[in-house]
Amino acid sequence: EIIELARNPAARLVGTGEDLLNVLTESLARLEGLLHGETPAARFLWDESVSKPKDESAISDYIKQHLNFDLIKNGVIVNREVEIRGAMAIKKGEKTDIHVDVAVTTETPGIMERISVVVEVKGCWNRDLDHAMETQLVTRYLKRGGYGLYVVAWFLCSRWGTDYRRKSTPKITIEEARGKFEAQAAKLSTQ
């Protein structure tokens, strides 16, 4: 592991859920850089014919594709719409937006342990935006423990046309939104 880390400066040793969260956060920061870089990839998240953002499912697919490309070479498995609790009778099971798994060695030779992170993706227009981090991610998906990441795709800008979802978006800057959700995450993480 040490030799591989020395060979590849981008490699990260993942042994805990916190390590995996850090790797994902770094990868999402790289994605943010690509979205706003010299050749902005943000256009792939817009329905350009009507000047509106794509839906949350398409955004989740885009993020999953990025994570696959960025992380799979390091043994991280990224899944979409993973059923984490089976359906009972006719009720649908709960499905996460993105589920990230990594196998790590344990102190017992030949035994691996799976570390997982559930990623919940919301568009800035989502009516549950302000409380879904707690009610959906923490209370439902992580109720038996584990690690979660709340990703908000923020589109509020002059490019956005008359789509009804724009009216549902809080009229705050991306920096204000980032601060608000980081504070909420810090509060929920103490639990």
Side-chain angles (χ1 to χ4, degrees):
E1 290 172 345
I2 292 171
I3 292 170
E4 179 57 31
L5 286 170
R7 250 189 239 141
N8 182 358
R12 297 288 180 269
L13 184 60
V14 174
T16 67
E18 290 86 4
D19 293 339
L20 183 53
L21 282 172
N22 289 334
V23 166
L24 291 170
T25 302
E26 290 172 9
S27 181
L28 291 170
R30 287 189 291 275
L31 174 59
E32 190 172 13
L34 293 171
L35 291 172
H36 302 285
E38 185 178 333
T39 307
R43 67 182 298 226
F44 300 115
L45 295 175
W46 284 89
D47 183 343
E48 293 180 327
S49 63
V50 288
S51 292
K52 67 179 184 179
K54 291 191 176 179
D55 63 24
E56 287 178 357
S57 180
I59 295 165
S60 294
D61 285 344
Y62 190 84
I63 292 170
K64 183 216 177 256
Q65 184 179 29
H66 165 78
L67 292 173
N68 266 342
F69 180 77
D70 198 44
L71 301 177
I72 204 155
K73 61 186 172 268
N74 296 319
V76 178
I77 301 165
V78 184
N79 299 300
R80 272 279 287 129
E81 297 288 338
V82 174
E83 189 166 316
I84 59 171
R85 276 186 277 290
M88 299 293 289
I90 59 170
K91 184 180 175 186
K92 286 177 123 179
E94 291 185 326
K95 292 185 179 181
T96 61
D97 288 333
I98 302 171
H99 198 99
V100 182
D101 297 307
V102 65
V104 297
T105 56
T106 64
E107 292 180 8
T108 308
I111 302 295
M112 303 290 279
E113 176 186 8
R114 180 172 61 184
I115 298 174
S116 300
V117 172
V118 174
V119 181
E120 181 59 30
V121 178
K122 293 286 182 237
C124 58
W125 60 84
N126 190 294
R127 69 175 186 244
D128 298 323
L129 182 66
D130 287 338
H131 58 272
M133 185 188 304
E134 180 175 9
T135 60
Q136 188 173 1
L137 181 60
V138 174
T139 304
R140 285 174 45 198
Y141 300 151
L142 302 177
K143 75 178 174 183
R144 293 188 183 105
Y147 299 89
L149 194 59
Y150 193 67
V151 176
V152 178
W154 200 260
F155 290 91
L156 192 59
C157 66
S158 59
R159 177 181 186 177
W160 198 347
T162 57
D163 177 25
Y164 74 93
R165 297 174 299 168
R166 183 180 176 137
K167 293 177 186 169
S168 301
T169 300
K171 305 305 181 254
I172 59 176
T173 67
I174 191 169
E175 292 80 14
E176 292 168 325
R178 188 184 310 268
K180 173 182 172 178
F181 293 114
E182 284 176 353
Q184 186 179 15
K187 179 182 172 192
L188 291 170
S189 293
T190 62
Q191 301 173 11

